[in-house]
Amino acid sequence: MSIFSFILATMLALAPACAAPTSAPSKFLDERLLGLALPQMEELASRVRAVAASSRAANTGLIDTKNDQTDIASSDNLYKYCEYAGAAYKVAGTAWDCPVNCNSTNTAGTVVDYHWSLKSIPSYGYVAHKDDTKEIIVSWRGSTVFMDWVADFTFMSTSWPAQIDGAKVHLGFLSAYNAAAGKVKDVVAGLVQTYPDYRIVLTGHSLGGAQAVLAAVDIATTRPEWISRIELYTFGQPRVGNSAFSNWLSKLPIPIFRTVYRSDIVPQVPLQAMGFQHQAQEVWYDLNMQTKFCGSNAENLSCQNSLSMAKWSALNHLQYPGLSFDPRYIITGKLEVIT
Ligand SMILES: *[C@@H]1O[C@H](CO)[C@@H](O)[C@H](O)[C@H]1NC(C)=O
Ligand SMILES: *[C@@H]1O[C@H](CO)[C@@H](O)[C@H](O)[C@H]1NC(C)=O
């Protein structure tokens, strides 16, 4: 039995038949995935809990990755849009006011046009614009609940969108996206009308990155006149769809940076063995903190896929340069509390 079929079998056995996406309160990393699949994953999960515990003891506040040597490897835009992705965890309304991410030289002066917070789905994010750089920014927030979805909905992919033959996407990610998509596109349409020469940057971390991916494809299929404006930056994004879906996205004439930090476990799920495939291009901060641009091969074996499973890390998921993740979110075990 290969390691992949072992995990496959384990997850099949553990996945509840008809769980609703919002049913189970989740821990930071779902034990059905991390605690039970492999001893190495159990060990990773316990390391995350140890970090959370020591952060609480030290009351350390924010991780400002700007002061981390990891910054050296980050290009300006990767850093900047990761700041916007991280801001989605912190911005609570239409004021651009949050610690670190909203106060950086890259993001100061951003105007929030729309903010949504649908706790029951969950779906959170904001639409903003920035005049000096002529851009409209849509940023989706991640959620711990997504790990439940990875476990529960892995085999519940759904055909989407109708315009792409054979395309299938993760049902949980799509429900999160759909919850706010109509209103988000309306707000963006208004901004496009007001600012006809602005770019549209789609960004997000974790489940937020998955939603940014769905948005890129949704916009490309329903608003093709916007394609020339779109840019996609994701951080720690899980696999979203099958090869028909991801290959179509990879070939769109838009800049795509699927940023992967070191050993972050999330870009490795759901597994390829389950029919999921990433879109290109991956940008990998490798173990020596060199930034590797991984080209047109979405599952390039020279990039993060070169790591063995034993190296996959949960902590790396929160350490993207620019993200400035707040460890209080880990301590409570639920991201939902802060908004
Ligand atoms: C952001 O910076 C401004 C000006 O320096 C300061 O007044 C404000 O308190 C800062 N906000 C946060 C949330 O750090
Ligand atoms: C895979 O990634 C390596 C490392 O960045 C790069 O040199 C190579 O061109 C990529 N291969 C393809 C097919 O894109």
Side-chain angles (χ1 to χ4, degrees):
M1 195 193 246
S2 77
I3 197 97
F4 283 108
S5 51
F6 168 72
I7 291 188
L8 191 83
T10 309
M11 292 185 72
L12 256 178
L14 294 166
C18 289
T22 53
S23 61
S26 63
K27 300 202 173 142
F28 166 61
L29 287 168
D30 192 283
E31 285 174 354
R32 279 165 297 179
L33 180 65
L34 282 182
L36 299 173
L38 278 179
Q40 292 95 323
M41 291 189 180
E42 200 166 55
E43 139 77 12
L44 287 172
S46 82
R47 270 189 270 155
V48 171
R49 291 188 193 102
V51 168
S54 61
S55 301
R56 175 165 42 196
N59 190 22
T60 48
L62 300 172
I63 299 170
D64 182 355
T65 49
K66 279 194 217 97
N67 298 324
D68 188 323
Q69 58 162 358
T70 56
D71 291 354
I72 296 161
S74 64
S75 79
D76 291 349
N77 276 348
L78 294 182
Y79 194 93
K80 171 179 168 179
Y81 294 116
C82 197
E83 291 181 301
Y84 277 109
Y89 289 98
K90 301 174 181 175
V91 168
T94 48
W96 186 252
D97 179 20
C98 70
V100 188
N101 306 56
C102 299
N103 262 11
S104 85
T105 50
N106 284 325
T107 67
T110 300
V111 175
V112 180
D113 298 285
Y114 177 59
H115 174 267
W116 75 94
S117 170
L118 304 169
K119 291 188 170 62
S120 61
I121 305 297
S123 174
Y124 307 83
Y126 63 84
V127 183
H129 69 278
K130 192 157 175 287
D131 292 318
D132 57 344
T133 46
K134 290 182 184 279
E135 56 194 336
I136 296 161
I137 299 125
V138 191
S139 178
W140 285 263
R141 199 181 110 168
S143 164
T144 50
V145 173
F146 94 90
M147 271 296 178
D148 283 336
W149 293 354
V150 167
D152 295 349
F153 278 72
T154 293
F155 304 98
M156 293 178 71
S157 55
T158 186
S159 294
W160 189 90
Q163 294 91 333
I164 306 172
D165 269 351
K168 289 189 166 197
V169 297
H170 188 282
L171 182 56
F173 301 162
L174 183 64
S175 1
Y177 172 69
N178 278 340
K183 177 70 177 168
V184 166
K185 283 192 287 179
D186 286 350
V187 173
V188 172
L191 290 168
V192 166
Q193 199 153 26
T194 312
Y195 307 108
D197 58 340
Y198 284 21
R199 298 173 298 124
I200 304 171
V201 178
L202 310 171
T203 188
H205 169 250
S206 198
L207 170 65
Q211 293 178 84
V213 164
L214 292 165
V217 172
D218 187 18
I219 288 172
T221 51
T222 62
R223 304 271 190 167
E225 69 277 15
W226 293 353
I227 289 178
S228 60
R229 303 160 176 265
I230 307 175
E231 295 177 20
L232 177 61
Y233 287 84
T234 71
F235 303 89
Q237 171 218 310
R239 293 188 178 97
V240 176
N242 65 356
S243 59
F245 173 85
S246 297
N247 291 342
W248 191 90
L249 172 57
S250 301
K251 285 182 191 134
L252 272 184
I254 66 170
I256 299 179
F257 299 99
R258 182 173 61 76
T259 314
V260 174
Y261 184 72
R262 305 186 73 171
S263 309
D264 179 3
I265 186 173
V266 175
Q268 293 295 340
V269 297
L271 300 174
Q272 282 182 270
M274 298 163 180
F276 288 84
Q277 189 206 286
H278 269 307
Q279 84 279 359
Q281 99 167 319
E282 174 185 357
V283 182
W284 185 40
Y285 292 99
D286 75 10
L287 300 185
N288 302 314
M289 289 310 298
Q290 302 300 308
T291 314
K292 278 192 171 166
F293 289 83
C294 309
S296 58
N297 181 351
E299 299 282 357
N300 190 330
L301 293 173
S302 309
C303 290
Q304 204 206 25
N305 283 342
S306 63
L307 300 179
S308 72
M309 245 181 216
K311 285 229 161 64
W312 294 355
S313 152
L315 186 56
N316 281 175
H317 189 53
L318 306 176
Q319 296 176 318
Y320 283 74
L323 189 68
S324 296
F325 199 84
D326 185 331
R328 284 173 297 178
Y329 294 110
I330 312 177
I331 290 161
T332 61
K334 38 187 178 173
L335 293 164
E336 288 74 12
V337 291
I338 296 227
T339 49

